[in-house]
Amino acid sequence: MEHHCRRRADLCVMHFAIIPKDAAGKIVPGDLTGLSMSWGSPASTQTQQCFATEMKDSAVVSALDKGESLQLSYRVQTQRSPLSSHKPNLDSSHFSCKITAQTNYNQSNTVRPNSKMRDAEELTEDRKLQAVIEQVMVDQLSRAVISDPEQNAVSVSPTSVPLRYRRTLHHTKVKTRMSLTENILSNKLCFQARILSRCGREACRKLIGFFFTCDQTLTVYEYRNFGKNRWNALPFITRGVYLNGGRPYCLQDIYQGAELRFCTDGPHLPQSLRQQPCLTLRVTDVDDTAKRALVTQSGETLHRLSKEELSDQNTLKEIQGAVRDRLKGHAVRTLINLGRDLQTLHLKSDWIQQKELLRRSLMEQLCLTQQDFEAVWRIVSRRAEGRVHPADVMRAVTGEMSENRKAVFLKVYVKLDPNKTGSIFLSDTEKFYRGKQESDAALKADLNPDFLAFVREAGKVTKTVSYAEFEDYYEGLSIEIPDDEEYISNLRATWSI
């Protein structure tokens, strides 16, 4: 054992020993005796010299490094020490580079949280959509076949079966014509919508709809929060077949910007909406890829607009274009005044008097002709099947901002009114407002008011600003700023969203 350990030690020493060579690079035979040294034997002179040289070099390097580090720490201390009289000599180029680097760092830190915040919002929206889809599938599949209303229409004649035995297990069908399965319900189109209303509580409702191609039925659910970390999907419009101008809704009727109209006698609608003559939903987002696949699968023919519908669209476009051109430069002030006129119209119960007051207001504020007003009223009345609301007429005359702009606008409003009460406190607007961000071309001091001046004037008595007034201001600003990116960036910078 002792011999074996000594042998391993000799091999280790041989590995680290320096083999002497001549000028030609050949090993000198006489100096090979140094290879057999053990752990305790002294090293050769050449080995000691090389080791000493390496140690000296490393000591010099460490001394230099130590000196440089001491010199660097001295410079830092002299620059940071307020009592030192030494001032570092920095040229302007070095100082500007420092400022540029700090600015870039601050901008990167500002942009990153915004991007992370948007990614988190998209992830939250996806989770909401999945939760609603699961709730819809559970609701539609939870009804048992035995409780299907179709079971009451038994095939047995009423006279052959006594009255109390007409509905028994023996007379129950295993599968009804309207019974659903998960595979049948999978052929659906999902879309998001919002309520067209000047009430903040109703306009901020998060609605998600589903159109089933198996039976041309439609249902709408509302995504609601209960507390901070609890949410649920509740039915808003019951699943059924709904008509659009005398025919059922189809896939072609659901697209971004489309309007879906329903009666207000639904069992799940709130009392505030049941008092309205008609419920109008605006489709804000549609899964176009799924829509194309469903259209191809179902073989649905493309629905073409009639000549009357095309004529109505062209008429509204011409009137809206002319009105928006006349509003350039004072759109914000004009729409605010029109909104205040609409508030007084709600106090009038007679619709004939409402129509006359609305006609005077539009002709005075927008220079609208009598012929154009009657044309707009006729188009809106035909679409709403005679149930005309003054806000719908004003919306048809002045037009609306795009759905991309509206989505950002609703985010701003929900930030200021998280409880969705329908009004904003002046203290909250002054708290979250980030300076005057409107472009100079959009706001002129003599025509369009500044935002803070507007809200202080609107909330002079109640110290609050309603959703309708807040919407009128940004609808006017949307007319003044034609570019979508500029308008959206304006909102995001003003309210830090």
Side-chain angles (χ1 to χ4, degrees):
M1 184 68 181
E2 182 180 359
H3 176 74
H4 179 68
C5 293
R6 186 176 297 173
R7 181 63 179 172
R8 288 175 58 90
D10 293 341
L11 291 175
C12 292
V13 173
M14 287 174 60
H15 178 73
F16 290 99
I18 299 177
I19 302 175
K21 299 180 181 181
D22 57 4
K26 296 181 180 181
I27 298 175
V28 181
D31 293 332
L32 292 178
T33 57
L35 295 176
S36 61
M37 68 176 66
S38 63
W39 285 99
S41 59
S44 61
T45 307
Q46 187 174 359
T47 304
Q48 293 178 358
Q49 292 177 356
C50 292
F51 182 74
T53 305
E54 291 177 0
M55 289 296 292
K56 184 177 180 181
D57 294 340
S58 61
V60 171
V61 171
S62 62
L64 290 175
D65 294 340
K66 185 176 181 180
E68 290 181 357
S69 62
L70 290 174
Q71 186 178 4
L72 179 60
S73 64
Y74 172 75
R75 290 177 182 174
V76 172
Q77 289 178 1
T78 28
Q79 290 179 7
R80 292 183 179 178
S81 178
L83 301 176
S84 176
S85 59
H86 173 71
K87 295 182 180 180
N89 185 14
L90 298 177
D91 55 351
S92 59
S93 62
H94 177 74
F95 189 67
S96 63
C97 291
K98 248 181 113 179
I99 293 178
T100 306
Q102 183 67 22
T103 305
N104 295 335
Y105 176 75
N106 293 336
Q107 290 178 355
S108 64
N109 282 349
T110 305
V111 171
R112 285 176 184 174
N114 291 337
S115 62
K116 291 182 179 180
M117 187 184 302
R118 294 175 189 175
D119 294 340
E121 290 178 356
E122 293 178 359
L123 182 60
T124 304
E125 292 297 326
D126 293 340
R127 290 178 178 176
K128 289 180 181 179
L129 182 59
Q130 292 299 323
V132 174
I133 292 175
E134 292 177 3
Q135 187 64 40
V136 169
M137 298 297 288
V138 169
D139 291 347
Q140 300 301 323
L141 296 175
S142 61
R143 188 177 65 180
V145 179
I146 196 172
S147 61
D148 196 319
E150 189 180 346
Q151 296 285 0
N152 295 327
V154 294
S155 58
V156 184
S157 61
T159 57
S160 60
V161 181
L163 182 61
R164 61 175 179 168
Y165 295 113
R166 260 177 212 177
R167 181 68 192 281
T168 61
L169 183 62
H170 301 284
H171 301 104
T172 302
K173 299 178 182 179
V174 177
K175 182 180 180 181
T176 60
R177 182 176 56 86
M178 297 298 294
S179 60
L180 301 172
T181 62
E182 189 173 355
N183 291 332
I184 294 177
L185 292 178
S186 62
N187 297 324
K188 61 183 180 301
L189 176 64
C190 178
F191 60 92
Q192 299 185 24
R194 61 181 178 89
I195 301 176
L196 292 183
S197 174
R198 290 179 63 82
C199 175
R201 185 186 298 272
E202 311 301 339
C204 294
R205 292 182 184 270
K206 183 71 175 180
L207 303 181
I208 301 177
F210 299 89
F211 182 83
F212 301 96
T213 59
C214 59
D215 51 3
Q216 304 294 306
T217 56
L218 186 149
T219 183
V220 179
Y221 274 65
E222 180 184 3
Y223 191 89
R224 294 184 61 182
N225 291 342
F226 298 91
K228 186 176 181 181
N229 297 322
R230 183 188 169 199
W231 54 83
N232 198 2
L234 300 178
F236 191 75
I237 295 179
T238 310
R239 180 169 170 261
V241 178
Y242 297 93
L243 302 180
N244 177 27
R247 61 175 181 81
Y249 279 108
C250 60
L251 287 173
Q252 303 295 336
D253 296 325
I254 302 175
Y255 54 90
Q256 187 179 24
E259 294 184 359
L260 307 178
R261 294 177 176 84
F262 304 91
C263 296
T264 55
D265 55 355
H268 303 294
L269 294 180
Q271 189 64 29
S272 58
L273 291 178
R274 292 184 184 182
Q275 298 175 357
Q276 301 297 328
C278 179
L279 174 63
T280 305
L281 302 184
R282 174 70 57 81
V283 179
T284 59
D285 192 15
V286 181
D287 189 357
D288 293 330
T289 304
K291 181 180 177 180
R292 287 192 294 267
L294 288 174
V295 169
T296 305
Q297 180 181 356
S298 61
E300 181 178 316
T301 57
L302 181 62
H303 173 68
R304 299 184 180 277
L305 298 177
S306 62
K307 293 183 179 180
E308 187 178 15
E309 293 174 339
L310 290 175
S311 176
D312 292 345
Q313 284 187 358
N314 295 332
T315 302
L316 288 181
K317 286 182 179 179
E318 291 178 1
I319 295 176
Q320 289 178 5
V323 169
R324 293 171 80 90
D325 288 340
R326 289 196 295 266
L327 286 177
K328 289 289 187 181
H330 55 92
V332 176
R333 173 63 66 185
T334 304
L335 291 188
I336 290 174
N337 295 333
L338 280 175
R340 292 171 181 171
D341 293 342
L342 280 179
Q343 291 180 357
T344 60
L345 289 179
H346 290 298
L347 303 177
K348 308 295 182 181
S349 58
D350 188 4
W351 70 271
I352 298 178
Q353 190 176 4
Q354 286 184 354
K355 179 180 178 181
E356 181 62 23
L357 293 176
L358 180 63
R359 182 186 64 82
R360 292 179 183 177
S361 177
L362 293 178
M363 293 179 65
E364 178 182 353
Q365 300 285 346
L366 304 179
C367 300
L368 196 68
T369 62
Q370 176 74 20
Q371 182 180 0
D372 290 342
F373 175 79
E374 293 296 337
V376 173
W377 185 274
R378 183 179 64 255
I379 294 172
V380 174
S381 177
R382 185 185 300 116
R383 291 180 176 180
E385 299 179 356
R387 297 164 290 189
V388 182
H389 195 278
D392 297 336
V393 179
M394 192 189 78
R395 195 180 298 114
V397 172
T398 59
E400 288 184 278
M401 65 177 75
S402 63
E403 290 304 320
N404 295 331
R405 299 188 181 195
K406 199 72 175 185
V408 182
F409 166 78
L410 290 176
K411 286 183 180 180
V412 171
Y413 181 80
V414 171
K415 180 179 180 179
L416 299 176
D417 184 18
N419 296 325
K420 301 177 182 178
T421 59
S423 60
I424 306 171
F425 290 101
L426 292 183
S427 57
D428 291 335
T429 58
E430 295 174 354
K431 174 183 176 181
F432 292 106
Y433 189 68
R434 292 294 177 263
K436 186 176 179 179
Q437 300 290 338
E438 291 85 356
S439 60
D440 296 335
L443 293 183
K444 297 179 181 179
D446 56 340
L447 297 177
N448 286 322
D450 178 66
F451 178 79
L452 290 181
F454 154 70
V455 295
R456 287 166 184 165
E457 179 187 358
K460 189 187 312 181
V461 178
T462 61
K463 302 300 180 182
T464 58
V465 179
S466 66
Y467 170 83
E469 294 171 329
F470 193 76
E471 184 184 34
D472 291 337
Y473 181 90
Y474 277 102
E475 284 286 357
L477 190 64
S478 178
I479 296 177
E480 302 288 359
I481 304 178
D483 186 59
D484 284 349
E485 293 184 0
E486 182 182 356
Y487 182 84
I488 292 175
S489 62
N490 185 343
L491 281 176
R492 292 188 182 278
T494 305
W495 300 103
S496 300
I497 61 171

